[in-house]
Amino acid sequence: MMDIREILQKVKNNELSIADAEAYFRRAPFEELGCAKLDTHRYSRSGFAEVVFCSGKTDEQLVQIFKHLVLDRGEALGTRATQDQYERLCEIFPDMQYDPVSRLLKIVSANKELRGRVVVCTAGTADIPVAEEAAQTAEYFGVYVERIYDVGVSGLHRLLAHLERIQSAYCVIAVAGMEGALASVLGGLVRNPVIGVPTSVGYGAGAQGVSALLTMLNSCANGVATVNIDNGYGAGYLAAQINRLALQKGEG
């Protein structure tokens, strides 16, 4: 699918007739599939195409949705997918990739350029699955991502050893379970936004991530925003938006 600017440029260059352009703009802003209504105009509005939440969907529904997404933009991203879902979709889409750690399904353009700089940090190794969901989501949206894992507050020297790399990022994602202190520590060390991602890693009183969530929401560090428990996708998306704004400012 062409975006609005591309259509207008083609009309200006006499590569597309006014009638064809008008027909395009008259299309419904979504595509009715019965089981889903694909938001085909989301890219034009937000700069990012729709992403599929795979959990709870049947194989048949996913095949139908992915067919239309790939036809529309040539690539697609699915979150919270299973190995079984991947194996079924791979029969239809041989180029599909699956990462069992982040549970992401991807069909990615071969010529995708990664720009800017986002750093993803984890407090511990157990937080990596959520961190990878964040990192690979941002990469899917065209962001250059650097990973710095297992740098939690129980050994702060590990984090400080990477401080220069972290401070050079347009945005930092802090993924932490247990008490979730990493986001506050990073918020006090960097000048750009920090996105806190509480994870459900921890023992009983951690309440499946609620403790880390409350710590991040009550952070005394400035510039820390928090997404939901285990929501790596939401953090990666937000980081991509911040990265895009930083690039636009630099180009301007």
Side-chain angles (χ1 to χ4, degrees):
M1 175 184 287
M2 296 181 289
D3 62 27
I4 294 172
R5 181 178 292 274
E6 185 178 358
I7 291 170
L8 295 176
Q9 188 64 49
K10 285 183 177 294
V11 172
K12 180 180 178 181
N13 296 340
N14 294 319
E15 297 172 1
L16 188 71
S17 71
I18 292 177
D20 286 341
E22 183 180 17
Y24 175 87
F25 288 124
R26 287 183 182 277
R27 283 179 53 188
F30 64 89
E31 192 167 350
E32 179 63 68
L33 302 183
C35 65
K37 295 175 176 59
L38 292 187
D39 187 356
T40 53
H41 281 206
R42 187 173 300 185
Y43 182 85
S44 297
R45 298 194 314 272
S46 69
F48 299 116
E50 186 170 11
V51 171
V52 185
F53 182 72
C54 297
S55 181
K57 292 182 173 65
T58 67
D59 291 346
E60 291 72 21
Q61 289 170 342
L62 288 175
V63 167
Q64 189 178 10
I65 291 169
F66 270 91
K67 276 184 176 179
H68 284 78
L69 287 175
V70 174
L71 181 65
D72 190 43
R73 298 214 57 82
E75 59 180 11
L77 177 67
T79 67
R80 300 303 167 95
T82 66
Q83 180 71 32
D84 289 342
Q85 288 174 326
Y86 163 66
E87 291 175 1
R88 174 68 181 96
L89 287 167
C90 198
E91 296 173 3
I92 312 297
F93 309 101
D95 295 335
M96 179 166 281
Q97 306 168 32
Y98 179 64
D99 175 34
V101 176
S102 63
R103 296 167 59 190
L104 291 177
L105 289 171
K106 292 180 287 186
I107 298 175
V108 184
S109 300
N111 59 348
K112 184 181 291 291
E113 180 185 5
L114 302 182
R115 304 175 62 211
R117 184 178 178 83
V118 166
V119 169
V120 180
C121 299
T122 71
T125 303
D127 300 309
I128 288 177
V130 176
E132 277 301 311
E133 185 182 56
Q136 294 183 43
T137 294
E139 288 171 336
Y140 176 80
F141 289 125
V143 179
Y144 173 77
V145 176
E146 186 166 357
R147 296 154 171 82
I148 302 176
Y149 291 166
D150 196 25
V151 288
V153 298
S154 61
L156 200 57
H157 56 290
R158 300 173 300 176
L159 177 69
L160 297 178
H162 300 282
L163 191 55
E164 186 175 344
R165 293 159 61 197
I166 295 170
Q167 289 178 330
S168 67
Y170 292 148
C171 175
V172 180
I173 298 176
V175 186
M178 301 290 187
E179 82 297 329
L182 181 63
S184 291
V185 172
L186 285 168
L189 293 173
V190 301
R191 63 186 298 175
N192 289 330
V194 173
I195 302 171
V197 189
T199 74
S200 50
V201 172
Y203 294 101
Q208 294 296 300
V210 174
S211 176
L213 172 65
L214 293 176
T215 296
M216 292 180 182
L217 288 175
N218 285 285
S219 174
C220 65
N222 296 315
V224 176
T226 304
V227 298
N228 208 346
I229 299 168
D230 292 336
N231 187 10
Y233 167 75
Y237 187 103
L238 181 56
Q241 290 180 307
I242 293 169
N243 187 75
R244 180 175 60 184
L245 289 171
L247 288 171
Q248 289 173 348
K249 181 180 178 181
E251 293 167 356

